[in-house]
Amino acid sequence: MLLNYCYGHPESELLWLPYGPMFSAVNHANDPTNANVKVVWHHETNSDIHATNEELSQRKQYHHPELLDYSVERVAMTHGKGLVMDLVATRPIQPNEELFLDYGPSWRQAWENHTIAYQR
């Protein structure tokens, strides 16, 4: 069941399990048009690029996109580095409005296949 919440890519052996206080508050949008947030890889702002390590927040120091090019074995042996995903609103969100993310067509198909196999 945990794999249900992981991110991956067909050209990579890695799976990412996003965790943090915000991700547990986001639900799947059964209708993709109801999605009001998206997940994107963190990217540096212009001010981040020119800052020293002391000036960068701990979160920004933790994001190391070069890990995407490492083998699974090398990632497993790398300590003190990670990848950061940002949760971004796709439209204005009202107070107390539920957050919905479109998990995408591959997830929907995998879930449908799972539920069909489970019913047997």
Side-chain angles (χ1 to χ4, degrees):
M1 198 62 177
L2 188 59
L3 289 175
N4 193 39
Y5 298 99
C6 290
Y7 289 87
H9 191 279
E11 296 177 21
S12 175
E13 298 175 337
L14 300 175
L15 282 177
W16 297 274
L17 175 62
Y19 65 93
M22 288 303 299
F23 279 98
S24 61
V26 179
N27 292 306
H28 171 58
N30 287 327
D31 177 355
T33 62
N34 289 336
N36 54 10
V37 296
K38 65 181 178 177
V39 176
V40 298
W41 287 115
H42 176 73
H43 65 277
E44 296 156 339
T45 64
N46 287 336
S47 61
D48 295 337
I49 294 169
H50 301 293
T52 66
N53 274 349
E54 293 80 31
E55 295 171 326
L56 290 174
S57 69
Q58 182 179 8
R59 180 172 174 265
K60 289 185 171 82
Q61 289 180 40
Y62 189 73
H63 184 64
H64 292 272
E66 68 273 11
L67 291 174
L68 295 170
D69 297 323
Y70 290 4
S71 68
V72 171
E73 293 80 13
R74 186 170 177 192
V75 170
M77 298 305 294
T78 301
H79 302 285
K81 292 184 177 182
L83 295 165
V84 177
M85 296 172 147
D86 293 327
L87 190 60
V88 178
T90 58
R91 62 169 176 75
I93 298 173
Q94 301 303 311
N96 298 318
E97 182 179 357
E98 191 167 357
L99 301 180
F100 288 109
L101 174 70
D102 178 13
Y103 292 178
S106 297
W107 183 90
R108 283 191 293 277
Q109 185 61 56
W111 183 256
E112 186 177 315
N113 293 345
H114 167 75
T115 56
I116 290 169
Y118 185 74
Q119 291 174 352
R120 291 184 195 160

